[in-house]
Amino acid sequence: WMMVSTVLVLVMIVPGLALFYGGLVRAKNMLSVLTQVSIVTVIGMIMWAVVGYSLAFTDGGSLNQWIGGASRFFLFDTVDGKVTDLSDNLAATFSVGVYIPEIVFICFQMTFACITAALVLGGLAERVKFTGVVVFAIVWPLLIYYPIAHMVWFWPGPDAIATHPSAPIRAGFIWSRGALDFAGGTVVHINSGIAALMGAIVLGPRLNYRKEPMPPHSLTMTMIGAGLLWFGWFGFNAGSNLESNYYAGLAMANTFLATAAAGLSWTIVEWVTKGKPSLLGLCSGLVAGLVAVTPAAGFAGPMGAIVLGLVVSPVCVFFCAQVKTWLGYDDALDVFGIHCVGGILGALGTGLVVNPAWGGAGIVDYASCAKDGDISTCDALPYDLGAQLLAQATGVGVTLLWSGAISLGIWFALRALGQLRVSRDVELEGLDLAEHGEVAYHA
């Protein structure tokens, strides 16, 4: 199941996200988007194997709350000066005594690193230099994605807690605060969305933005991309359970229901406010629902997932249609309005829908698993609404501050080096021909 889930997440990126984004830009920039998404993905894979996995998912010593260490650099296992391969290594799941091969876990998490960086590109579409994209693909994960993934997802595993319930837990900063993020509401969506907003602000708006129409050139491509995103998202959400069991099934059900509810609510809002329901709105709603349910996928009950989907679309519509207009930034493909805003709503909403009294799955108390010597049976932690919402807000706030501030620095540095924005002539001609020497369509 985990190998299949890994490939499903790849389908989300190439071709899913590439086609979704490509259809939303003008025809003269279609290939540039496909190329940018693809190059970020391939660089992301190499970076993950060389340093990324180790920095995200190993113990970082004195810096462990913020970043991992070097023990898995180049995908070798380095312990006490001895270097071995990973052939015998196992990675923990969320069940005591259940493991998967570490190499499978590495590949699964690699796809998350790739899609997060690729999502950022939507805020910079149609005017960012390819050289800037390449530098971004190397620097941004190092400074932002790997630390945030470590802060949110690094922990010693259920066996360590069950067998040593009184020992201090060495885990990432956000995990240690009790924040829940099943599949990446903070790590993927808030992280990429705020980075895209910072990039859009530093880059500046497209030429003639709001002075001439810039409609999507192929909503057909966008619909195909949205469908592939939804398809692959089952690997993203259900795969994040790391096992094929009831909770993977729950994540699957929630990925159906929240997405459907958000697609419906976006359509209704648009129908009421504009008089006509659009395919673009429906596709945007589907993605918003997927974003909102991501942190809650294995924690919410099915009805809670529907509520998340119904609520997220009106909020995202407001940010994409009104807030963006008021503030004047050109987030070309609404990465901030859908991924960051939807991710914030989903992350905070997870603190509500996890409540067992409201149909949620509750939170496992791994320290209880060793009661009476039986580590296979665990209790649930008592649910505390205020404490859980505070933990969720901490995760949201740290992600916004870390990613927002450092992303801003990266974009300013690229602009100062002249590697951020294409020239006026290139932008007018289109990035496909000027930067890549080819076009998507021939007359």
Side-chain angles (χ1 to χ4, degrees):
W1 167 237
M2 290 310 302
M3 293 170 70
V4 171
S5 293
T6 301
V7 176
L8 284 173
V9 182
L10 176 63
V11 170
M12 288 175 65
I13 318 168
V14 181
L17 182 66
L19 290 176
F20 182 80
Y21 275 178
L24 290 172
V25 299
R26 290 166 287 182
K28 64 183 180 180
N29 296 314
M30 170 67 163
L31 286 186
S32 72
V33 171
L34 301 183
T35 307
Q36 289 168 13
V37 170
S38 299
I39 196 65
V40 164
T41 301
V42 297
I43 291 173
M45 289 180 177
I46 303 302
M47 288 286 295
W48 187 253
V50 174
V51 297
Y53 173 70
S54 190
L55 293 175
F57 285 103
T58 66
D59 194 304
S62 60
L63 297 175
N64 186 59
Q65 285 209 325
W66 312 103
I67 192 69
S71 63
R72 294 293 190 278
F73 276 7
F74 303 99
L75 297 189
F76 287 110
D77 183 355
T78 305
V79 179
D80 296 329
K82 292 185 177 181
V83 179
T84 60
D85 63 32
L86 303 177
S87 57
D88 295 325
N89 287 29
L90 298 173
T93 64
F94 296 100
S95 295
V96 177
V98 178
Y99 305 90
I100 59 174
E102 187 176 13
I103 193 68
V104 176
F105 181 72
I106 290 169
C107 290
F108 180 66
Q109 287 295 340
M110 177 176 67
T111 59
F112 279 62
C114 293
I115 196 170
T116 305
L119 283 169
V120 178
L121 300 174
L124 292 75
E126 301 198 289
R127 65 231 198 255
V128 65
K129 279 187 176 182
F130 187 71
T131 50
V133 169
V134 170
V135 175
F136 158 82
I138 297 169
V139 175
W140 190 83
L142 276 171
L143 299 181
I144 298 174
Y145 182 83
Y146 305 153
I148 290 179
H150 183 85
M151 283 188 261
V152 174
W153 282 334
F154 180 75
W155 67 304
D159 293 57
I161 298 175
T163 55
H164 300 90
S166 61
I169 298 173
R170 291 183 58 78
F173 178 82
I174 294 174
W175 193 96
S176 299
R177 268 66 189 168
L180 303 173
D181 189 348
F182 195 79
T186 51
V187 181
V188 177
H189 298 295
I190 298 174
N191 192 5
S192 61
I194 191 64
L197 176 63
M198 295 299 103
I201 291 171
V202 175
L203 198 61
R206 288 165 289 179
L207 292 175
N208 300 317
Y209 177 62
R210 297 198 178 281
K211 296 178 182 178
E212 65 179 43
M214 297 181 180
H217 90 278
S218 178
L219 286 175
T220 302
M221 291 291 187
T222 295
M223 180 62 210
I224 294 170
L228 289 169
L229 282 168
W230 196 355
F231 171 71
W233 221 291
F234 289 101
F236 201 75
N237 283 353
S240 289
N241 189 61
L242 304 182
E243 304 170 69
S244 180
N245 58 21
Y246 167 77
Y247 292 100
L250 178 64
M252 179 183 74
N254 290 339
T255 304
F256 275 120
L257 295 172
T259 311
L264 177 62
S265 63
W266 196 301
T267 298
I268 292 172
V269 169
E270 201 170 57
W271 206 347
V272 170
T273 58
K274 296 183 179 180
K276 294 182 180 180
S278 71
L279 177 61
L280 175 58
L282 176 56
C283 290
S284 299
L286 295 178
V287 175
L290 291 164
V291 169
V293 79
T294 291
F299 297 119
M303 296 305 105
I306 290 175
V307 171
L308 280 177
L310 291 174
V311 172
V312 71
S313 282
V315 176
C316 289
V317 168
F318 177 71
F319 272 85
C320 293
Q322 297 300 323
V323 174
K324 185 167 74 167
T325 300
W326 293 338
L327 298 182
Y329 60 85
D330 183 13
D331 174 12
L333 308 184
D334 288 317
V335 186
F336 173 76
I338 292 177
H339 290 274
C340 188
V341 172
I344 291 171
L345 189 145
L348 296 177
T350 298
L352 299 174
V353 297
V354 70
N355 185 357
W358 297 344
I363 307 168
V364 176
D365 179 9
Y366 290 105
S368 73
C369 300
K371 59 183 182 295
D372 302 323
D374 182 3
I375 62 172
S376 65
T377 304
C378 310
D379 297 328
L381 286 169
Y383 176 77
D384 184 324
L385 173 62
Q388 196 57 56
L389 285 179
L390 178 61
Q392 299 303 114
T394 300
V396 169
V398 170
T399 304
L400 286 171
L401 289 172
W402 187 287
S403 183
I406 300 177
S407 294
L408 192 64
I410 292 172
W411 299 129
F412 271 126
L414 285 172
R415 190 175 76 173
L417 293 170
Q419 300 302 319
L420 188 58
R421 184 161 185 156
V422 298
S423 68
R424 176 184 178 86
D425 290 343
V426 168
E427 189 171 342
L428 289 172
E429 180 183 12
L431 275 64
D432 288 3
L433 194 59
E435 287 237 303
H436 304 290
E438 51 192 356
V439 295
Y441 310 103
H442 294 278

